Amino acid sequence: MAATAVLKGVEDKFFECSFCLENFKEPKLLPCLHRICKGCLEKIIEKKEDGEFKCPLCNEICDIPHEGVDGFRTDFHMKSMLKYIQLQQTAKTEDLTAECGGCSKESRITSYCFKCKGFLCEQCSTDHLTKKMMREHKGSILSLKEIKVQELTLERLASLTETPRCQSHVDKPAEVCCATCQNLPVCMVCAQFGEHKGHDLHDVRLLARKERLRAEKTLETLDKFEDNIIQLPVRVEKVKETLSEAISAEKEKLESQHTKLSEFSERRLKDNEQLFKKNKREIDYQEKQEVSELEEQRKREIEAAVKEINDKFDKLIGELRVKNQDLRNGQKTLNDEMDGRMNEGIVLVKRAFKKLDSSVDEQGIHHREELEKISCEAENRKTRYSNFRSTISSILASKDNWTEAQCLPDISKASDFLVQDVKKNVPQLESLKQIDAGDLTITIGGIVRIAEEPESVVDIEGVETQAWNVTYMKYIDNGSIAITGVADEHTHITVIDRDGKIISTNHINQKKRDCDSNVFRTCYPLDLFKLATTCENGELGIYNMKNRSHIRKHMRDIVSDWDDKKQVISVTTDQINKNVYIGTDSRDVFVLDNMLNHQHTLQLPHGMEASTDMVIHGDNLIVCDYASGGAYIVTREGPEAELVCELPEPDHMGGDWRPGRVCTDCNGFIYIIWDSEIYDQGRDILTQYSPDGHRLLITKDVKVDVFGIDTVLTDGSEKLILCTQEGELYTYGLVMGS
């Protein structure tokens, strides 16, 4: 504020006590530069027993002096301005009549004498200005006309105010300031001979000049931060708005993830029920067919040995029905176990969702609380800055040495803390507009864990003795395991039990292609009793595990534009819709029905080169592409597959890892075998992914040359089985987390 600034430029709130909300009465100055009426301050500290209290405006801790309220400095500068405001209110009355402070008569008032501290009539006002005996009063006269115009400056007001008196000799004007006693005004008698002898005494003009320069420098420093002080509350409000949007977005993301996972699990439950019903129908149909065949055979032989044959076939039929009933019971148990396993997973997903949703709420509450604290601090800074600026500007504008010498040291001292505060940044402000509760797919990563060590390792019967190499392995829902492999002059399809014992085997004579290796055979269950089989030379087949029949076709007879240069390298089935998916060493995947009739061709997205292994995953297809080195989830509807996601490649021991085999468990978690050459030695690792494929959850070293991976449900728990090229069968427990 300039030195010529008028008092009407100061806001009314500047003169208002924050406690009683009225104009100050005997204002006391606190260490934080805020003011409180003496009476209000007495009310505040009379109940305080710890020797301190908080400023009602800025909450700064103020120590209570030993003298109590009297120990706080009276703000005489404020009292002067308040006196003038009172005069302004009085001057608003036209033809003001009151008792004259000079002649004591009821007269029309024309001026006010600051020395007499009273109103004057026109005659007494003239006497004050002309008579020698009143010459000391001449500079203290203020006309009511000057008051009405409201153009009085702080400098003019200071000139009207009487020079402070000595605190000990009230009849003597103060001549120096005692810095030892907080710039107390004292006369020369006290300074040289009285209680202030030997104290740090200063000429008021020099001291005022020093303090004025210090205050102006502080004000200049604070003004540089004015925009930051004013804008911080606005920034806080914007962050609050952004925080609300972040909370809504985070909740929407979690809700979407929860909905997708729930829908996926419900779909798997539905598919499992359909598969159970389908398998049951197949058992019933198979039984009907076999019973019919036995009945026909009995009829043909009944003439030769009626009783003997009846007994014999009654026994066979009974054994068959018992066997098939055991198979039905096994399917029912398997279905119940899968339902239980998947329902347990659904419960854990819901629990994880609630936990993350609660985390969003908790973070929102915490962020809002922190923002409220910052907002209060910002408003506090703003209030303190506004108060400091109004206070120091009004004092500087007065150009009164005594006012500056007495007030500015305390103000400058208090301003040091204000300068430190406004220079502080609020680094956490940007972070408070964000919410990160985590990812539901990461949180559910602990739902299914792979046991550290295998539960069992068995050697498959016949692999070593017959010099087989295992090329593929898959679990069948009837409790058995199918493996394929090659020998010197043939390939084979073999069905084994969990202990590696052979149930049945079928040798297929096979000519070598124009290469140095035997043809590569794979298989995948089509139903409880049939396998879809492939050979890399383009041969397909349906293998019946009951009667060991093998219907074989060639791709050139199924697909009209088949290219004999292509290789068939994988197969998977959709048992619900009875479709067979044939993978090749190109982007083409051929979709057939369960009779090996071509339905349509699915082309994989650009960037993929082959389908080394595949598995159905809900409405999608998981594809391991050894050639490109990636594993992908793609859609399987229509002629063009769309990329859903690329599974993260493992970063393990610096290897160039490539995916070879894939399977999923009851809860949709994905398992892939990767291999790589490290230090000139082949290595295999096992990885586990979240159901959506976005998160790599587990990386585990396993034995080299794993050519088959699948899951199996037994005794109410799910297992992971791995099969090596040498015929070793490893079983790992899959442990449900909490």
Side-chain angles (χ1 to χ4, degrees):
M1 184 182 294
T4 57
V6 294
L7 269 171
K8 68 178 182 180
V10 182
E11 294 183 4
D12 293 341
K13 196 172 182 180
F14 184 65
F15 305 102
E16 187 179 275
C17 174
S18 61
F19 192 81
C20 64
L21 303 181
E22 296 179 359
N23 280 351
F24 290 109
K25 296 179 281 293
E26 194 67 21
K28 289 291 184 177
L29 193 64
L30 302 182
C32 59
L33 302 185
H34 290 123
R35 304 162 188 83
I36 299 179
C37 298
K38 180 179 180 180
C40 296
L41 188 56
E42 286 175 340
K43 294 177 183 178
I44 291 174
I45 68 177
E46 67 182 358
K47 297 180 181 180
K48 300 295 182 180
E49 298 179 357
D50 54 359
E52 60 183 29
F53 67 95
K54 289 184 178 180
C55 170
L57 270 177
C58 67
N59 289 325
E60 184 171 326
I61 301 297
C62 301
D63 293 327
I64 302 173
H66 295 298
E67 304 89 341
V69 173
D70 292 334
F72 290 98
R73 184 191 296 277
T74 300
D75 192 343
F76 293 102
H77 179 61
M78 176 60 74
K79 288 181 68 176
S80 298
M81 290 190 288
L82 286 169
K83 182 61 182 177
Y84 176 72
I85 291 172
Q86 292 173 0
L87 292 176
Q88 280 185 322
Q89 297 298 324
T90 305
K92 289 180 181 178
T93 305
E94 296 292 337
D95 297 326
L96 175 64
T97 301
E99 182 180 338
C100 175
C103 62
S104 301
K105 296 179 181 179
E106 285 286 332
S107 306
R108 182 173 175 273
I109 301 304
T110 62
S111 63
Y112 182 85
C113 178
F114 280 84
K115 198 170 189 67
C116 296
K117 295 183 174 58
F119 290 101
L120 301 175
C121 65
E122 186 173 0
Q123 182 60 48
C124 290
S125 178
T126 302
D127 291 345
H128 271 59
L129 295 172
T130 58
K131 291 185 177 181
K132 290 183 178 180
M133 62 182 297
M134 304 298 291
R135 61 178 178 272
E136 291 183 2
H137 294 237
K138 185 176 181 180
S140 301
I141 302 298
L142 183 65
S143 70
L144 293 188
K145 291 182 180 180
E146 189 176 357
I147 297 174
K148 287 181 179 180
V149 174
Q150 295 187 359
E151 293 297 330
L152 181 67
T153 65
L154 291 169
E155 184 177 355
R156 171 76 172 118
L157 179 62
S159 69
L160 294 168
T161 306
E162 186 179 10
T163 302
R165 295 284 175 173
C166 175
Q167 297 293 307
S168 300
H169 305 90
V170 293
D171 58 331
K172 294 181 181 292
E175 297 173 84
V176 292
C177 280
C178 180
T180 306
C181 300
Q182 297 183 329
N183 290 345
L184 193 70
V186 297
C187 66
M188 291 305 296
V189 174
C190 291
Q192 294 177 354
F193 310 105
E195 59 184 293
H196 297 279
K197 182 180 179 181
H199 286 191
D200 185 13
L201 302 171
H202 294 274
D203 184 301
V204 66
R205 291 170 299 175
L206 296 178
L207 181 61
R209 182 172 179 272
K210 174 185 174 183
E211 293 298 338
R212 186 185 300 114
L213 291 174
R214 179 183 172 190
E216 288 174 345
K217 184 176 181 181
T218 300
L219 184 60
E220 181 182 354
T221 300
L222 285 172
D223 284 345
K224 292 178 181 178
F225 294 91
E226 181 176 9
D227 288 343
N228 185 43
I229 295 169
I230 301 302
Q231 290 300 317
L232 182 58
V234 177
R235 288 173 58 207
V236 170
E237 290 304 316
K238 288 183 178 179
V239 169
K240 285 182 179 179
E241 294 175 6
T242 307
L243 172 63
S244 298
E245 294 172 0
I247 291 173
S248 299
E250 192 72 8
K251 280 181 168 287
E252 184 178 345
K253 180 194 79 173
L254 291 173
E255 187 67 38
S256 174
Q257 291 179 338
H258 176 249
T259 299
K260 289 180 180 179
L261 288 170
S262 298
E263 289 175 352
F264 182 80
S265 298
E266 293 295 337
R267 169 66 183 274
R268 290 183 72 89
L269 281 171
K270 184 178 178 181
D271 289 351
N272 185 56
E273 182 63 26
Q274 292 182 13
L275 185 60
F276 166 70
K277 292 178 179 179
K278 174 179 171 292
N279 290 342
K280 184 175 178 297
R281 288 195 300 270
E282 290 172 355
I283 294 171
D284 293 341
Y285 176 78
Q286 188 71 22
E287 178 184 290
K288 184 177 179 181
Q289 290 294 105
E290 292 178 352
V291 169
S292 177
E293 292 174 3
L294 290 173
E295 289 286 0
E296 289 297 324
Q297 187 176 353
R298 180 169 64 177
K299 288 179 181 179
R300 288 194 298 270
E301 297 182 10
I302 198 170
E303 293 180 359
V306 175
K307 187 177 184 306
E308 181 181 351
I309 292 175
N310 277 339
D311 291 343
K312 173 184 176 182
F313 282 97
D314 282 344
K315 181 180 179 182
L316 289 173
I317 291 172
E319 291 174 349
L320 176 63
R321 284 178 172 159
V322 168
K323 178 181 178 182
N324 285 328
Q325 186 59 45
D326 289 342
L327 194 55
R328 290 190 192 93
N329 293 339
Q331 283 295 301
K332 180 64 169 65
T333 300
L334 180 64
N335 181 72
D336 292 344
E337 289 175 348
M338 290 187 70
D339 284 353
R341 185 84 171 180
M342 287 187 283
N343 282 323
E344 186 179 355
I346 291 172
V347 169
L348 293 175
V349 169
K350 288 181 178 178
R351 188 182 304 163
F353 166 71
K354 289 181 179 179
K355 183 177 180 181
L356 292 185
D357 189 61
S358 175
S359 175
V360 173
D361 292 336
E362 290 174 1
Q363 289 187 50
I365 292 171
H366 174 267
H367 285 15
R368 286 192 176 106
E369 289 175 349
E370 290 299 313
L371 283 171
E372 199 58 41
K373 292 178 183 177
I374 295 174
S375 180
C376 291
E377 178 62 24
E379 290 297 338
N380 182 14
R381 285 187 194 177
K382 186 177 177 182
T383 301
R384 289 166 62 197
Y385 168 73
S386 177
N387 174 63
F388 173 81
R389 207 178 193 293
S390 298
T391 300
I392 199 170
S393 297
S394 67
I395 293 173
L396 292 174
S398 73
K399 288 192 173 179
D400 181 71
N401 291 336
W402 283 105
T403 300
E404 292 172 351
Q406 286 187 288
C407 299
L408 290 180
D410 289 338
I411 293 173
S412 297
K413 180 180 179 181
S415 70
D416 291 341
F417 298 104
L418 178 59
V419 171
Q420 292 176 13
D421 283 347
V422 300
K423 285 183 177 181
K424 291 178 182 176
N425 291 323
V426 190
Q428 72 272 33
L429 187 60
E430 290 301 314
S431 66
L432 290 176
K433 68 183 179 181
Q434 299 175 350
I435 292 291
D436 184 11
D439 195 303
L440 188 58
T441 58
I442 296 177
T443 305
I444 66 173
I447 287 181
V448 180
R449 292 180 289 104
I450 306 171
E452 288 296 325
E453 300 296 331
E455 294 180 358
S456 64
V457 181
V458 299
D459 292 323
I460 298 175
E461 182 182 8
V463 172
E464 184 176 358
T465 58
Q466 300 189 49
W468 289 349
N469 276 333
V470 176
T471 57
Y472 208 75
M473 179 276 298
K474 278 297 168 185
Y475 174 74
I476 308 167
D477 286 341
N478 61 20
S480 56
I481 298 171
I483 62 171
T484 59
V486 296
D488 188 31
E489 295 293 336
H490 62 268
T491 63
H492 69 89
I493 303 170
T494 301
V495 180
I496 61 174
D497 61 18
R498 288 280 310 283
D499 295 325
K501 304 299 182 184
I502 294 177
I503 299 174
S504 65
T505 186
N506 185 21
H507 294 265
I508 305 165
N509 292 327
Q510 196 77 52
K511 292 182 179 180
K512 296 182 181 180
R513 299 191 65 182
D514 298 330
C515 60
D516 294 331
S517 63
N518 288 314
V519 291
F520 193 87
R521 184 173 291 280
T522 61
C523 66
Y524 207 96
L526 188 57
D527 56 37
L528 285 176
F529 307 106
K530 295 176 183 176
L531 296 173
T533 69
T534 65
C535 233
E536 64 177 344
N537 61 4
E539 178 194 287
L540 309 182
I542 302 296
Y543 177 69
N544 190 315
M545 292 176 281
K546 279 286 187 179
N547 58 23
R548 303 184 187 179
S549 64
H550 190 198
I551 301 172
R552 298 159 72 178
K553 291 185 177 181
H554 198 279
M555 284 295 290
R556 72 171 69 93
D557 301 321
I558 299 172
V559 180
S560 58
D561 57 350
W562 174 255
D563 183 355
D564 278 335
K565 294 181 180 179
K566 284 184 179 178
Q567 291 183 343
V568 174
I569 56 177
S570 63
V571 61
T572 190
T573 63
D574 178 355
Q575 296 187 41
I576 302 299
N577 297 308
K578 299 182 179 179
N579 286 328
V580 180
Y581 288 73
I582 304 298
T584 68
D585 59 351
S586 70
R587 289 170 52 209
D588 291 333
V589 174
F590 297 93
V591 184
L592 316 179
D593 63 18
N594 62 343
M595 300 302 292
L596 302 184
N597 297 309
H598 185 213
Q599 300 296 302
H600 67 275
T601 301
L602 178 69
Q603 191 166 68
L604 299 177
H606 289 284
M608 297 177 64
E609 300 179 24
S611 44
T612 308
D613 197 18
M614 304 180 294
V615 68
I616 301 296
H617 192 54
D619 293 330
N620 299 319
L621 190 66
I622 303 175
V623 180
C624 289
D625 182 359
Y626 193 91
S628 71
Y632 311 88
I633 299 179
V634 300
T635 60
R636 56 188 179 100
E637 294 296 326
E640 297 286 339
E642 295 182 6
L643 181 65
V644 177
C645 82
E646 180 175 355
L647 280 69
E649 182 179 341
D651 182 11
H652 187 66
M653 297 182 67
D656 177 21
W657 298 101
R658 295 178 178 270
R661 295 290 180 259
V662 61
C663 74
T664 61
D665 65 18
C666 288
N667 288 292
F669 287 86
I670 304 166
Y671 303 86
I672 297 180
I673 295 294
W674 302 72
D675 70 37
S676 177
E677 291 287 333
I678 299 178
Y679 307 126
D680 297 326
Q681 292 184 349
R683 297 183 68 92
D684 284 4
I685 58 172
L686 167 64
T687 56
Q688 181 198 52
Y689 295 87
S690 58
D692 63 2
H694 289 291
R695 305 292 177 185
L696 173 58
L697 305 175
I698 294 174
T699 300
K700 181 181 181 65
D701 285 300
V702 294
K703 188 173 176 62
V704 72
D705 290 336
V706 175
F707 273 71
I709 181 172
D710 210 347
T711 59
V712 52
L713 269 171
T714 176
D715 299 327
S717 62
E718 195 167 15
K719 313 289 184 184
L720 184 70
I721 52 177
L722 310 179
C723 185
T724 68
Q725 186 178 27
E726 293 79 15
E728 294 173 312
L729 204 61
Y730 290 78
T731 302
Y732 290 87
L734 294 179
V735 184
M736 294 294 285
S738 57

